[in-house]
């Protein structure tokens, strides 16, 4: 009876995940249809969204997800897909921007007001988002939570929900492309990203020699190496995107400065000739 109850719980979990993934896909398609009169939507953002859903679905449902319930290496592969790859892809798809384009004006204003509320502002601050994203795995793997999540379906669901949401909030705080009325400065976001990379790498090294209870030494070493090197792939992608955004903004600012300077110069120039001489003060000398 206990085994049957557990099987029913996991089946319910899998079914719920599939429904949520289907809603995510359908919601995106509905947003594209509703915003069709606003002009074309970049195709690459749609590709990013569905690739993110695919990463999340692979981590939560299917052969990898089933193997992750008993093996640490498979669990770590799912962790990287759900907590790093999926958030990276989903955030760069700009879902909030699409929602603002698709919603009526009144509802779009509600969304923008929500983004400005103190709780959202606090959670999306780069330091807070980085702490939640980096601290969660430390709690998971250095306490009894890792064993509990494989014995309890609700705990399993709560842990994975945190992993996905924390990853999305952190990615949005560091390299988000959606409107953000209180985006952190580039130095702050760069410092938080460096701190996150350091914390993630330190945890992987810790797990190499100190795996969670019940994890074999060989499985722990392979899983820790996967966490270390697999995490580096996404970390490098985050760094590249962050600096590309900084460069684009800096270049755009420089271009605007040149345009403003040329306009000022053109006001004091004669058509086809040298700049006009300065006017004498009114009233004459003396």
């Amino acid at each position: 009876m206990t085994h049957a109850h557990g099987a029913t719980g996991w089946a319910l979990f899998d079914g719920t995940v599939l429904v949520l993934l289907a809603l995510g896909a359908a919601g995106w398609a509905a947003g594209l249809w509703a915003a069709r009169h606003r002009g074309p939507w970049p195709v690459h953002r749609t590709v990013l969204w569905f690739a993110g859903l695919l990463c999340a679905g692979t981590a939560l449902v299917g052969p990898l997800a089933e193997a992750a319930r008993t093996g640490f290496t498979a669990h770590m592969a799912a962790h990287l897909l759900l907590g790093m790859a999926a958030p990276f892809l989903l955030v760069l798809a700009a879902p909030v921007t699409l929602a603002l384009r698709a919603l009526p004006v009144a509802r779009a204003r509600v969304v923008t007001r929500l983004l400005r509320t103190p709780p959202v502002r606090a959670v999306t601050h780069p330091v807070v988002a980085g702490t939640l994203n980096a601290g969660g795995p430390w709690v998971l793997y250095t306490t009894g939570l890792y064993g509990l999540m494989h014995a309890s379906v609700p705990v399993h669901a709560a842990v994975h929900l945190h992993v996905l949401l924390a990853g999305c909030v952190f990615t949005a705080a560091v390299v988000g492309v959606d409107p953000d009325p209180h985006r952190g400065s580039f130095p702050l976001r760069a410092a938080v990203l460096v701190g996150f990379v350091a914390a993630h790498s330190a945890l992987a090294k810790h797990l190499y020699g100190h795996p969670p209870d019940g994890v074999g030494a060989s499985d722990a070493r392979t899983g820790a190496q996967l966490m270390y090197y697999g995490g580096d792939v996404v970390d490098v992608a985050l760094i590249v995107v962050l600096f590309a955004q900084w460069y684009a903004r800096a270049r755009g600012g420089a271009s605007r400065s040149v345009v403003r300077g040329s306009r000022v110069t053109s006001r004091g120039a004669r058509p086809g000739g040298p700049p006009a001489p300065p006017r004498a003060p009114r009233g004459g000398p003396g």
Side-chain angles (χ1 to χ4, degrees):
M1 292 177 62
T2 302
H3 177 74
H5 178 73
T8 301
W10 289 116
L12 179 61
F13 172 82
D14 292 346
T16 302
V17 170
L18 291 175
V19 170
L20 292 176
L21 291 172
L23 289 175
W28 189 269
L32 291 177
W33 178 257
R36 65 191 184 280
H37 62 284
R38 300 290 299 274
W41 178 255
V43 176
H44 75 277
R45 297 209 184 278
T46 296
V47 174
L48 289 170
W49 178 259
F50 282 95
L53 292 181
L54 179 62
C55 286
T58 303
L60 295 172
V61 181
L64 178 62
E66 293 180 3
R69 295 167 189 170
T70 56
F72 185 71
T73 301
H75 163 85
M76 193 55 66
H79 168 86
L80 292 174
L81 286 174
L82 184 66
M84 299 188 74
F88 179 76
L89 297 168
L90 294 173
V91 168
L92 292 185
V96 176
T97 301
L98 178 60
L100 292 177
R101 286 166 56 97
L103 291 172
V105 175
R107 294 184 180 180
R109 288 175 178 171
V110 173
V111 174
T112 57
R113 286 197 295 268
L114 177 63
L115 295 175
R116 297 177 182 272
T117 58
V120 173
R121 183 170 185 172
V123 173
T124 57
H125 188 278
V127 174
V128 177
T131 301
L132 291 173
N133 197 35
W138 276 93
V139 174
L140 175 62
Y141 298 123
T142 60
T143 67
L145 184 59
Y146 176 77
L148 181 60
M149 69 172 288
H150 292 98
S152 170
V153 177
V155 175
H156 181 89
V159 168
H160 283 81
L161 180 63
H162 169 84
V163 168
L164 178 61
L165 292 181
C168 288
V169 172
F170 170 74
T171 305
V174 175
V175 297
V177 294
D178 280 319
D180 187 346
H182 42 261
R183 190 179 305 281
S185 64
F186 172 78
L188 175 62
R189 290 182 286 135
V192 169
L193 180 55
V194 170
F196 170 79
V197 172
H200 199 260
S201 299
L203 177 58
K205 294 178 179 179
H206 173 79
L207 292 175
Y208 189 88
H210 305 84
D213 293 337
V215 176
S218 177
D219 194 16
R221 287 193 293 268
T222 304
Q225 289 175 331
L226 178 60
M227 180 183 187
Y228 187 88
Y229 294 109
D232 281 351
V233 174
V234 182
D235 291 337
V236 170
L238 286 169
I239 293 171
V240 169
V241 172
L242 176 62
F243 277 85
Q245 291 175 347
W246 168 80
Y247 178 77
R249 291 191 181 100
R251 187 177 181 182
S255 300
R256 288 191 294 271
S257 298
V258 171
V259 171
R260 286 195 296 268
S262 64
R263 288 175 179 172
V264 172
T265 303
S266 65
R267 292 193 188 103
R270 294 176 178 175
R279 296 180 178 177
R282 293 183 177 178

